[in-house]
């Protein structure tokens, strides 16, 4: 159990809202989620895949609320990959419209909940109206002091790394950067997640054991929790299980001793 005299007032506040059994001193700061299995969830119910995506939105709302209530600093979710364009055009069109509808509907609640939302990925390939709404949501929530909520939309880890390489090359050619000074910190500062510590925990639903091009740099030392639960069924008990699994791990970062604090800040 926790020694209450060593808990800060912030942690005391979160400890009150944390479910029994979770150690408030060892909750992850940042969780990344590959929200997978919407299609299979719908198929199992004889529904169209689109119904699975709609149900997935409810799971996302609940997860964001819990992460915020439990004092996490950041939640980064995979909503649409650079590879997802290869799906049938009706599904892609539906997803873009769903993102638009949900963001519009939820924006006020996000502002009230002090959530700071950002969209990570190649946004200029998204429909124009969605881009405008994303800009509005980003600006309106930029001063919020609550959880950082990053929605990876048209995101691909390899594309992100190539873009960083391009930017660093440009800076070097322009004489603004000495190539010999490029180290991990300089590189990471160009990533779209530069404002957050690297995820401590990656959750993937629906049982697939792969990264599917998600946060290839940032997940270098994340603990990985794979659950067979399909994303629309992911609920409070699923999140609690993931956090308990996380807290059972011994994070050594290549050394021999367990390190409980976050030392992967970049
Ligand atoms: C994840 O669910 C949502 C997106 C990729 C947009 P899927 O649509 O991949 O669901 P499955 O994997 O087909 O069940
Ligand atoms: C990963 O899921 C992308 C998102 C959750 C947005 P996919 O369903 O696209 O991944 P694969 O095709 O199974 O690798
Ligand atoms: Mg899938």
């Amino acid at each position: 159990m926790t020694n209450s005299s060593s808990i800060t007032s912030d942690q005391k506040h979160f400890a009150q809202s944390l479910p029994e059994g979770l150690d408030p001193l060892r909750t992850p700061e940042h969780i990344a989620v590959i929200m997978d299995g919407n299609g299979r969830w719908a198929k199992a119910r004889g529904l169209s895949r689109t119904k699975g995506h709609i149900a997935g939105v409810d799971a996302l709302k609940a997860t964001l609320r819990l992460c915020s209530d439990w004092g996490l600093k950041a939640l980064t979710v995979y909503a649409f990959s650079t590879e997802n364009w290869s799906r049938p055009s009706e599904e892609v069109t539906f997803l873009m419209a769903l993102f638009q509808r949900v963001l519009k509907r939820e924006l006020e609640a996000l502002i009230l909940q002090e959530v700071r939302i950002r969209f990570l990925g190649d946004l200029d390939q998204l429909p124009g109206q969605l881009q405008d709404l994303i800009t509005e949501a980003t600006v309106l929530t930029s001063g919020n002091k609550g959880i950082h909520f990053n929605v990876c939309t048209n995101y691909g880890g390899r594309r992100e790394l190539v873009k960083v390489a391009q930017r660093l090359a440009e800076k070097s050619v322009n004489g603004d950067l000495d190539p010999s000074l490029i180290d991990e910190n300089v590189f990471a500062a160009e990533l779209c997640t530069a404002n957050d510590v690297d995820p401590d925990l990656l959750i993937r639903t629906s049982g697939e054991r792969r990264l599917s091009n998600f946060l290839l740099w940032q997940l270098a030392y994340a603990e990985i929790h794979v659950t067979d639960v399909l994303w629309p069924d992911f609920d409070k008990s699923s999140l609690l299980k993931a956090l308990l699994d996380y807290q059972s791990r011994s994070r050594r970062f290549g050394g021999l001793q367990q390190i409980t604090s976050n030392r992967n800040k970049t």
Side-chain angles (χ1 to χ4, degrees):
M1 271 314 289
T2 319
N3 172 3
S4 58
S5 63
S6 64
I7 302 180
T8 66
S9 63
D10 253 11
Q11 286 165 334
K12 257 186 201 147
H13 165 73
F14 297 133
Q16 282 163 11
S17 56
L18 273 183
E20 190 77 21
L22 275 184
D23 179 350
L25 293 179
R26 294 190 57 213
T27 48
E29 272 187 47
H30 184 176
I31 296 184
V33 186
I34 302 177
M35 309 181 290
D36 199 11
N38 293 352
R40 275 163 283 174
W41 181 92
K43 194 172 176 207
R45 285 161 180 76
L47 302 169
S48 63
R49 293 178 55 84
T50 53
K51 293 285 188 297
H53 296 313
I54 291 170
V57 172
D58 292 334
L60 177 56
K61 272 179 68 178
T63 302
L64 173 63
R65 180 58 83 105
L66 287 168
C67 288
S68 169
D69 287 351
W70 293 353
L72 264 87
K73 295 213 168 80
L75 172 69
T76 300
V77 298
Y78 209 3
F80 192 89
S81 73
T82 47
E83 289 71 34
N84 287 147
W85 296 104
S86 65
R87 295 187 177 200
S89 64
E90 306 80 62
E91 181 166 347
V92 171
T93 304
F94 176 85
L95 282 168
M96 295 300 152
L98 182 68
F99 298 156
Q100 172 95 21
R101 201 162 69 236
V102 171
L103 183 56
K104 201 168 184 142
R105 191 183 71 205
E106 300 298 327
L107 185 51
E108 205 173 307
L110 292 172
I111 294 169
L112 286 173
Q113 289 166 38
E114 283 286 321
V115 172
R116 198 207 64 181
I117 193 168
R118 284 208 178 132
F119 288 79
L120 313 181
D122 266 353
L123 306 182
D124 50 11
Q125 286 172 0
L126 302 177
Q129 273 193 326
L130 180 56
Q131 289 185 44
D132 293 345
L133 185 59
I134 284 174
T135 305
E136 187 188 344
T138 308
V139 170
L140 286 175
T141 66
S142 63
N144 284 357
K145 298 285 179 281
I147 191 167
H148 291 184
F149 178 38
N150 304 315
V151 185
C152 295
T153 314
N154 193 23
Y155 173 88
R158 286 187 172 179
R159 189 176 292 182
E160 180 183 26
L161 295 177
V162 167
K163 292 223 157 169
V164 170
Q166 276 175 350
R167 273 198 296 278
L168 293 175
E170 270 166 26
K171 283 184 184 177
S172 299
V173 169
N174 294 340
D176 297 328
L177 178 67
D178 174 351
S180 71
L181 296 180
I182 298 175
D183 60 11
E184 291 185 14
N185 288 327
V186 170
F187 196 96
E190 297 287 338
L191 294 167
C192 58
T193 50
N195 290 295
D196 297 305
V197 295
D198 288 342
D200 304 294
L201 170 64
L202 169 70
I203 299 172
R204 181 159 190 160
T205 56
S206 87
E208 308 295 353
R209 287 162 166 75
R210 53 179 170 261
L211 289 179
S212 300
N213 204 10
F214 192 39
L215 301 176
L216 297 179
W217 172 286
Q218 297 89 335
L219 293 173
Y221 260 106
E223 297 299 323
I224 300 173
H225 174 84
V226 174
T227 171
D228 287 335
V229 170
L230 303 173
W231 176 249
D233 289 329
F234 192 87
D235 61 7
K236 185 175 178 179
S237 75
S238 320
L239 183 63
L240 182 57
K241 260 189 213 147
L243 290 179
L244 288 170
D245 185 20
Y246 171 79
Q247 292 194 338
S248 74
R249 308 286 178 87
S250 172
R251 303 188 78 190
R252 294 184 293 278
F253 296 93
L256 299 180
Q257 273 170 6
Q258 180 169 350
I259 292 166
T260 50
S261 66
N262 270 296
R263 38 154 278 172
N264 61 345
K265 239 187 187 92
T266 45

